[in-house]
Amino acid sequence: MQFERPLVPLLVAAALTVVSVVLALRLTIQTGFESLLPSSRPSVQELNRVAARTAGVSTLFIVLEGGPNTPTIALRQAGDALVPALAAVGAPWVGSVEDGVHEARAFLSPRAGLYAETKDLEGLRDDIEARYAYEVNKATGTLLDESEEPPALDAESIKKRFKLGTEATPDRFPDGYYQSKDGKTLVVAVRSKVIGSDFSRGSEALRRIREAVVRVNPASFHPEIRYGFGGDLQTGISEFAAINADLTEVGLFGAALLAGVVFLYYLRIRTLFAMLITIGIGVAWTFGVTELLIGHLNMATGFLFTIVAGNGINFSIIYMARYLEARRDKVPLAEALDLARRETWRPTLTAAAAAGAAYGSLGVTEFRGFRDFGVIGGIGMLLCWIATYLALPSILTLMERLLPLDREAKGVWGRIQRATQGGLAFGRPFAALAERAPRLLTVLGVAVALVGGAVAVFYVKSDPMEYDLRNLRTDASARAEEIRLSTLAEQITGYVGTDGMAILVDRPEQVEPLREALDAKRDAAPPGEKPFEKVHALQDFVPAAQAEKIPILEEIKQKVLKAHRRGVIPDADWKTIEEVLPPDDLKPFGIQDLPAGLARAFTETDGTRGRIVYISPTEGQTVDDAHYLFRWANAYRRTVLPDGSVILGSGRAVIYADMWAAVIDDIPPAVLLSLLGTVLAVLVAFRRGLPSVYVLAALLVGIGWMALALVMMKVKLNFLNFIALPLTFGIGVDYAVNIVQRYTREGTGGAMAAVRETGGAVVLCSLTTALGYMALVRSNNFAVRSMGVAAVIGEVTCLFAAVIVLPAALVWMDRKRA
């Protein structure tokens, strides 16, 4: 049918491809680590619950930086001008704007005395009375000589009693502005209802805010002032754009590599065109089905385009190699198509089944990063195989009718085409090597594989996991300035929630029991292993025993006013003292009375306050160290309160700890299942017997070499490059399958013919697969790069085992039989 009516299969393939492309374009990319874990995990469920109550508010920092000659007042004037201009942008783009803690300061300063201890307030009251009497007696000349001078009544002494501006409670914003100590940097903080993960609306929010900043023109307040943007809104948009650009760049680079190596092998545009159309159909079908089954991509699956294309094109390569060989032998078109189909469908289907088994082994794991990868890859191998045998024969038929293959080109190009008809002889150097020293190569290859297996055991025992999380993230060198500004703004503003992990309790009354339980865990930890620094809650801003402190503060106020009228207090100190004197209507307050700016980090989306608790990391510890991250996560993951209620914690620490645990639990069964699936596929294809032994032995040699290479290169294992281990079984066996398939057809003495004829296509298959993985090395994400490196190593070692050690062993056995 494909020869007689080639348009029918092509129209069917085209219709399915159009539908698949439309579906694939609907795929979204989930960038968070939580997308790699199953939604049934308690940590993921808790993270989603907390996010639902606290999401919807993002922060953007406009960082104003001056030069050496920029006065402090110029930066403040620029910040003050930006506040109303940005507020005018309006919701949802801008919810609130502030260039300092003016609102919180106006509320807290006259209530500063409520935060002092009652005994300190009583002591201050008595000291003021004593100082007043001392100054009066001194002024009237009735001061006794032996009278001891009481403490001075000035701003410094009162702030010390109120514990303001001391080492224990430093006044971080002495003038209320988000300004650095040297006065050369000022931050304007914008809270937006648009979150950074919403790329479209987030980009619009940034555009409107940038336009407002340009209209204000901070440099107009002083020519040295420059500005930049930071915060999670800017970071979210930048990271999303970087990931999209990364996926596009890696995909185009991988496609270019595949096209280049295929053309280099065949040196025919028509052949390249036919194979690219075929693999394009298979890839489109794969990601169309992905949208139906999964609906999104994640950090692990986002780069599968080049991997599926690099693996899936192998079926076309093997078919095309046999087809061109038949046409080179003057076999008519219809017979050549049928011959290529009959002689290649079994080995290619075996390879597809083995690769599918390798991918499928990941599909049964709990770790969603593996599971989705396995589902997409396994389906992709099957669909690429179907696309090859549905579309490629029809494409070749139409091409032959339009431009017969046996029509020779003229000149130098014609001579090159005739010399390379059927592809470049990639396999001949390996055949010559195997034929020259078969016994040496066999023994040496097996010995190296055994050494690799042995050293791998010791390497695994030494815990080769990657615990430096900086080596698993996206390369941020292109965003260095943005990161610098975000870090600087966080340091100046003290923004809560950047490195702190959030817990959401059910009732505000649970905060104090939770704090006590967490503090007990922290205090019980050995020295140097404290899991966290401190628990932060909105309740921290509500002082205790307010009712009993208010009468004392009223007495203090009256005495201070009396002393001021008497001239006891220096005029230079009066303004500072006046700020902390309580108002006439001072009364106890709770968390609902706190100003919005102060309570914002502890406020849920519906306005509920007092249920969010933050756990800050231990000072001196880095959250990029997975060892510490695990210790931090275990400290607050699950807390049982005295009343029996259970409080769950989540966040980056718990998510990453769970992710790592899932990887460690899932890898052994995935590797074993991949191996068993590969063995089963080989046994079924060759109906047991010696050919199966040859194939599996070559695979084990390649795996041993791979293990040795990984150990020698000191490759650290992580949640992505682990994928290369089970995949190597199913994909690496492909090359030995095709060599042995040709060898069994040729009979005794056919090992060299297998490598010379089929070896070129096998090498090309390995190159396309390896180049699909090698494209990942250009990714900006270090974990993705490491997966590409590990997979390329597996490809190269399994290829060399198939085209060097396997043929050498077959030649050695054939000669012994002879």
Side-chain angles (χ1 to χ4, degrees):
M1 176 179 175
Q2 288 169 305
F3 174 71
E4 297 174 354
R5 302 171 63 185
L7 285 177
V8 174
L10 283 180
L11 289 175
V12 172
L16 293 174
T17 301
V18 170
V19 173
S20 298
V21 169
V22 171
L23 290 172
L25 291 175
R26 290 162 45 184
L27 284 169
T28 59
I29 301 173
Q30 297 183 355
T31 59
F33 278 149
E34 67 276 7
S35 66
L36 302 177
L37 286 171
S39 57
S40 59
R41 277 266 178 168
S43 57
V44 176
Q45 292 178 339
E46 182 63 17
L47 181 69
N48 292 334
R49 185 179 80 94
V50 174
R53 300 294 301 175
T54 60
V57 177
S58 59
T59 302
L60 179 70
F61 296 122
I62 297 95
V63 183
L64 305 177
E65 294 184 286
N69 301 315
T70 307
T72 299
I73 188 62
L75 284 169
R76 293 181 178 181
Q77 289 172 346
D80 289 341
L82 281 174
V83 171
L86 292 171
V89 173
W93 321 110
V94 173
S96 65
V97 190
E98 55 196 17
D99 60 353
V101 293
H102 308 297
E103 181 187 12
R105 188 180 183 87
F107 179 86
L108 294 178
S109 291
R111 293 167 177 81
L114 292 173
Y115 294 90
E117 298 291 335
T118 303
K119 61 179 182 180
D120 292 332
L121 293 178
E122 292 173 341
L124 176 59
R125 177 193 58 193
D126 296 339
D127 286 346
I128 293 173
E129 181 65 31
R131 186 70 193 190
Y132 179 80
Y134 176 85
E135 293 292 344
V136 170
N137 291 334
K138 182 178 178 182
T140 58
T142 59
L143 183 66
L144 299 177
D145 294 337
E146 64 270 15
S147 296
E148 183 178 351
E149 183 175 355
L153 185 54
D154 53 20
E156 188 64 29
S157 63
I158 291 180
K159 287 176 64 177
K160 185 176 181 181
R161 293 299 184 92
F162 282 178
K163 296 183 177 177
L164 295 174
T166 63
E167 185 177 352
T169 57
D171 190 355
R172 187 166 192 168
F173 312 106
D175 295 317
Y177 284 91
Y178 291 140
Q179 198 160 18
S180 59
K181 290 182 178 179
D182 62 3
K184 301 302 182 182
T185 304
L186 186 136
V187 178
V188 178
V190 175
R191 266 76 178 192
S192 173
K193 281 291 183 180
V194 180
I195 57 178
S197 58
D198 187 339
F199 181 74
S200 177
R201 286 163 55 83
S203 299
E204 178 62 17
L206 284 176
R207 185 188 68 79
R208 291 171 180 251
I209 291 171
R210 286 178 184 274
E211 288 179 353
V213 175
V214 170
R215 285 195 298 270
V216 171
N217 187 16
S220 64
F221 295 89
H222 193 279
E224 289 183 343
I225 295 179
R226 61 187 186 278
Y227 64 88
F229 297 89
D232 50 25
L233 178 60
Q234 176 68 52
T235 298
I237 299 302
S238 298
E239 288 185 345
F240 194 89
I243 289 174
N244 278 339
D246 197 22
L247 289 174
T248 302
E249 182 180 350
V250 169
L252 292 176
F253 182 65
L257 289 178
L258 293 179
V261 73
V262 170
F263 178 74
L264 177 64
Y265 181 76
Y266 292 109
L267 293 178
R268 282 175 172 78
I269 296 294
R270 58 185 293 165
T271 303
L272 172 64
F273 182 69
M275 296 179 68
L276 290 182
I277 290 179
T278 303
I279 191 58
I281 292 171
V283 171
W285 291 359
T286 299
F287 288 95
V289 172
T290 298
E291 205 285 329
L292 294 176
L293 294 180
I294 300 174
H296 63 267
L297 301 174
N298 56 44
M299 289 178 61
T301 59
F303 297 88
L304 264 171
F305 171 83
T306 56
I307 296 175
V308 170
N311 290 172
I313 201 173
N314 292 351
F315 314 131
S316 299
I317 290 172
I318 297 299
Y319 181 95
M320 183 69 75
R322 190 67 188 96
Y323 165 76
L324 291 177
E325 184 181 348
R327 296 291 284 146
R328 189 169 64 246
D329 294 337
K330 306 302 181 183
V331 176
L333 174 61
E335 293 181 24
L337 292 172
D338 185 61
L339 179 66
R341 178 189 58 80
R342 284 187 287 106
E343 293 190 3
T344 62
W345 77 267
R346 180 175 294 168
T348 55
L349 183 58
T350 301
Y359 283 110
S361 68
L362 298 172
V364 300
T365 61
E366 182 192 19
F367 185 51
R368 197 197 299 181
F370 288 171
R371 188 182 65 207
D372 291 356
F373 194 100
V375 170
I376 298 172
I379 292 174
M381 293 302 98
L382 176 62
L383 293 177
C384 288
W385 186 87
I386 294 173
T388 297
Y389 288 89
L390 175 66
L392 185 56
S394 298
I395 295 172
L396 292 174
T397 299
L398 290 176
M399 285 185 170
E400 285 272 16
R401 291 179 179 178
L402 295 173
L403 187 65
L405 186 65
D406 53 9
R407 196 174 83 178
E408 295 184 356
K410 305 296 183 180
V412 177
W413 185 246
R415 290 196 294 272
I416 293 175
Q417 286 188 334
R418 287 190 293 275
T420 60
Q421 198 170 27
L424 291 178
F426 282 174
R428 291 185 181 179
F430 299 107
L433 183 63
E435 193 173 24
R436 180 171 300 178
R439 182 169 60 180
L440 175 63
L441 291 175
T442 303
V443 173
L444 185 61
V446 172
V448 172
L450 292 174
V451 171
V455 298
V457 172
F458 291 101
Y459 190 59
V460 170
K461 288 183 177 179
S462 69
D463 189 14
M465 311 303 287
E466 179 59 81
Y467 291 103
D468 188 346
L469 303 189
R470 291 171 297 184
N471 294 329
L472 303 179
R473 298 199 185 110
T474 299
D475 186 354
S477 57
R479 297 173 41 241
E481 178 63 10
E482 174 194 319
I483 294 173
R484 182 188 73 84
L485 293 176
S486 294
T487 303
L488 180 61
E490 289 162 7
Q491 292 172 347
I492 292 174
T493 61
Y495 182 63
V496 177
T498 302
D499 277 333
M501 296 297 163
I503 297 178
L504 181 64
V505 299
D506 298 322
R507 303 181 307 278
E509 296 76 20
Q510 294 176 315
V511 169
E512 286 310 314
L514 174 64
R515 187 201 304 272
E516 293 174 3
L518 291 174
D519 286 346
K521 289 183 183 180
R522 178 197 60 198
D523 298 339
E529 296 185 13
K530 301 296 182 183
F532 60 88
E533 186 71 29
K534 191 176 180 181
V535 178
H536 305 270
L538 186 59
Q539 285 80 348
D540 296 339
F541 296 99
V542 180
Q546 296 183 57
E548 68 180 56
K549 295 176 184 177
I550 288 176
I552 305 174
L553 285 170
E554 290 175 344
E555 288 187 61
I556 291 174
K557 178 179 180 180
Q558 296 304 319
K559 294 181 180 300
V560 168
L561 291 174
K562 182 180 177 182
H564 179 246
R565 289 193 297 269
R566 185 73 179 184
V568 174
I569 300 176
D571 292 337
D573 291 346
W574 176 243
K575 182 180 179 181
T576 302
I577 294 176
E578 189 177 28
E579 288 181 357
V580 298
L581 291 179
D584 294 335
D585 60 347
L586 182 63
K587 58 184 178 181
F589 64 90
I591 57 176
Q592 299 302 328
D593 302 308
L594 293 170
L598 188 64
R600 185 171 288 111
F602 302 90
T603 304
E604 300 168 40
T605 52
D606 62 356
T608 302
R609 294 182 175 186
R611 301 200 307 162
I612 301 175
V613 176
Y614 290 95
I615 318 294
S616 61
T618 304
E619 188 176 351
Q621 295 284 354
T622 173
V623 294
D624 291 324
D625 180 5
H627 291 103
Y628 170 70
L629 208 62
F630 297 159
R631 190 163 72 245
W632 188 15
N634 292 333
Y636 74 94
R637 170 194 299 277
R638 186 176 188 274
T639 306
V640 180
L641 301 185
D643 64 359
S645 57
V646 177
I647 304 297
L648 299 179
S650 189
R652 180 158 48 97
V654 178
I655 290 294
Y656 190 80
D658 282 1
M659 185 177 68
W660 212 217
V663 169
I664 294 174
D665 291 341
D666 288 341
I667 278 296
V671 171
L672 180 60
L673 188 60
S674 173
L675 179 59
L676 292 177
T678 301
V679 171
L680 180 62
V682 172
L683 292 177
V684 170
F686 291 101
R687 298 179 179 86
R688 296 175 294 181
L690 284 177
S692 299
V693 176
Y694 300 156
V695 172
L696 296 175
L699 174 63
L700 292 178
V701 169
I703 295 298
W705 289 7
M706 176 187 181
L708 181 61
L710 291 175
V711 173
M712 295 297 292
M713 295 174 65
K714 296 182 180 180
V715 174
K716 292 287 187 179
L717 301 180
N718 59 58
F719 66 91
L720 272 186
N721 63 19
F722 255 138
I723 293 176
L725 302 179
L727 289 189
T728 300
F729 288 121
I731 298 173
V733 77
D734 185 2
Y735 317 125
V737 165
N738 287 287
I739 294 292
V740 172
Q741 178 76 14
R742 183 65 181 261
Y743 170 75
T744 56
R745 191 169 69 243
E746 296 285 343
T748 301
M752 290 301 98
V755 179
R756 289 192 186 99
E757 298 297 334
T758 305
V762 169
V763 172
L764 179 60
C765 287
S766 177
L767 284 174
T768 57
T769 303
L771 291 175
Y773 287 126
M774 192 175 295
L776 303 182
V777 178
R778 285 182 60 90
S779 170
N780 288 322
N781 184 277
F782 294 117
V784 173
R785 291 182 192 175
S786 70
M787 182 177 72
V789 169
V792 168
I793 291 173
E795 279 297 307
V796 172
T797 56
C798 287
L799 171 66
F800 284 172
V803 297
I804 296 177
V805 179
L806 175 59
L810 294 176
V811 170
W812 185 18
M813 287 188 294
D814 287 347
R815 289 179 180 177
K816 289 183 68 175
R817 291 194 193 99

